[in-house]
Amino acid sequence: MLSKERTANMIGWAVASYGRAWIRTLKVHHSLANELDNPRTGAKGGLYCLWHEDLLMMSVFFADCGIHTLISKSTDGDYVTGMVDHLGFQ
């Protein structure tokens, strides 16, 4: 039997892999009121909030930008932690 942590890590890897493949099929356009707020161009010190339904797309789109995350300590949070760990979040 797999531990809860190992299971969450495996599910996180699968979701992150799916998300990376899925986002390659999309044409993504985003606009910001101020381009200096864009984490893809090196913005630091911002606070970004999103709705649950945007979690996968935004996590994949802003992967590897050095963003730190706050995730609830719950079973669902364990799965999200597994996903964002594989996407380069801290």
Side-chain angles (χ1 to χ4, degrees):
M1 179 137 210
L2 293 174
S3 70
K4 181 180 172 185
E5 183 178 314
R6 179 82 172 129
T7 301
N9 189 39
M10 290 172 57
I11 290 171
W13 175 84
V15 173
S17 298
Y18 167 79
R20 286 187 191 271
W22 172 62
I23 205 161
R24 286 188 199 111
T25 69
L26 303 176
K27 183 177 182 178
V28 178
H29 172 79
H30 74 281
S31 61
L32 299 168
N34 184 348
E35 191 59 33
L36 297 174
D37 295 331
N38 188 349
R40 296 204 73 53
T41 59
K44 301 287 185 217
L47 179 63
Y48 304 96
C49 301
L50 56 97
W51 296 109
H52 287 95
E53 67 264 13
D54 299 324
L55 180 63
L56 179 60
M57 183 172 180
M58 293 295 101
S59 295
V60 173
F61 188 73
F62 291 111
D64 301 315
C65 289
I67 295 174
H68 294 258
T69 61
L70 179 65
I71 301 169
S72 67
K73 191 155 184 70
S74 65
T75 301
D76 290 348
D78 291 341
Y79 297 136
V80 173
T81 299
M83 177 187 74
V84 298
D85 281 349
H86 289 288
L87 292 172
F89 288 81
Q90 301 167 4

